[in-house]
Amino acid sequence: MTSTDAASTDTNRAQGAGRPIPAGLPPELFAHAQQNEPIEFHLLERTWDLLPGVWPPYISPETKGFTEWLPYPEGGSFLEVGSGCGVTSVIAALKGAGQVTALDITQEAVDNTLVNAARHGVAGHVRALRSDMFAALDPDERFDVIYWDSNALLAPDDFTYTHYMQRAIMDPGYVSHRSFLLDGPRHLAEGGRLFLGFNDHGDWDKLAELEQEAGLTRTELGVLEFVSNGTTANFRLLEYLRKA
């Protein structure tokens, strides 16, 4: 995270003193969770809108870092799972992807993605759909690049979300990770590429089990180190290939 991004983080916080912290939500994220009106933030040398109920991508480095690292198919198709406010999907369109599809499980994120696509002049190239993973896609839709910055914390199978911030960081039973690894390759065009953003707070053993089930091998394209409140988290961009 750059000093500019860190400054934006401080100025964009909304306070919520006296309210209970939702289960599983780290206390350092609590202030961000209380946002109740639209705000603006700066990232990747652009200004973005953030609507209430949408994950703030400026509070950790992976949106900026992974968005800079990803390959964007010029004139091709790009799919982002879990688009949030739409930063990566909008950048994909700005970088030349001819067709961008952004999926998110909340309507707030879908709306936010469309707001930012319009703000940056790429509304005609970005389609946003409310979807639990790939559910809203037609079975025969194919993409040149598929990307998901995952909710890497493994939650118990019976965990119930009580706050939108939990959805961004927690995956009960790794059901969503299983869907990504099993169903993602089915939506790849010939020669397409599959990318996952993951971090070291996730369960690598469980992820390896799912990779084995899906018949995929991973390579690491890069790692971002982030220190918050004395705790270090490494965010990693992974690419998946079918086993030979």
Side-chain angles (χ1 to χ4, degrees):
M1 179 179 288
T2 67
S3 58
T4 300
D5 295 335
S8 297
T9 297
D10 291 338
T11 59
N12 289 330
R13 286 180 177 171
Q15 300 302 317
R19 302 179 187 175
I21 299 175
L25 187 63
E28 63 268 22
L29 300 184
F30 178 56
H32 301 282
Q34 306 310 312
Q35 178 199 343
N36 56 17
E37 61 183 19
I39 63 172
E40 290 184 340
F41 67 95
H42 301 278
L43 197 68
L44 293 164
E45 300 181 349
R46 292 180 178 271
T47 301
W48 307 85
D49 293 293
L50 184 70
L51 303 184
V54 181
W55 175 265
Y58 50 78
I59 63 177
S60 59
E62 74 270 24
T63 296
K64 179 179 184 296
F66 295 164
T67 299
E68 291 177 328
W69 292 347
L70 284 166
Y72 299 106
E74 187 171 354
S77 54
F78 180 90
L79 171 65
E80 181 181 16
V81 179
S83 64
C85 68
V87 170
T88 304
S89 289
V90 169
I91 293 295
L94 291 169
K95 293 287 188 179
Q99 174 198 347
V100 176
T101 298
L103 306 178
D104 202 285
I105 199 168
T106 71
Q107 189 61 45
E108 291 86 351
V110 170
D111 294 342
N112 206 158
T113 295
L114 294 174
V115 165
N116 280 316
R119 176 169 189 150
H120 294 288
V122 292
H125 296 277
V126 177
R127 173 182 65 155
L129 303 173
R130 186 174 183 180
S131 182
D132 186 353
M133 300 306 291
F134 304 101
L137 299 178
D138 291 336
D140 59 350
E141 286 193 76
R142 300 291 183 269
F143 302 88
D144 297 306
V145 173
I146 297 175
Y147 162 70
W148 178 37
D149 181 17
S150 78
N151 48 345
L153 294 182
L154 177 60
D157 293 358
D158 60 353
F159 182 84
T160 299
Y161 295 116
T162 60
H163 196 280
Y164 76 92
M165 293 279 277
Q166 294 169 330
R167 288 191 178 277
I169 61 175
M170 304 171 75
D171 182 11
Y174 267 20
V175 171
S176 296
H177 284 78
R178 185 174 188 272
S179 174
F180 184 79
L181 295 176
L182 288 176
D183 299 330
R186 299 168 186 164
H187 286 286
L188 285 176
E190 184 176 354
R193 302 176 71 180
L194 185 69
F195 297 91
L196 175 70
F198 199 71
N199 69 74
D200 289 349
H201 291 307
D203 191 316
W204 287 100
D205 291 338
K206 182 64 174 178
L207 185 66
E209 291 178 14
L210 298 175
E211 292 165 350
Q212 180 69 24
E213 180 183 358
L216 300 175
T217 59
R218 84 169 93 102
T219 58
E220 185 178 299
L221 276 70
V223 59
L224 298 162
E225 183 179 274
F226 178 59
V227 179
S228 176
N229 292 335
T231 300
T232 300
N234 290 314
F235 295 85
R236 304 176 189 272
L237 183 61
L238 311 175
E239 181 173 8
Y240 283 98
L241 300 172
R242 292 192 182 276
K243 292 182 179 179

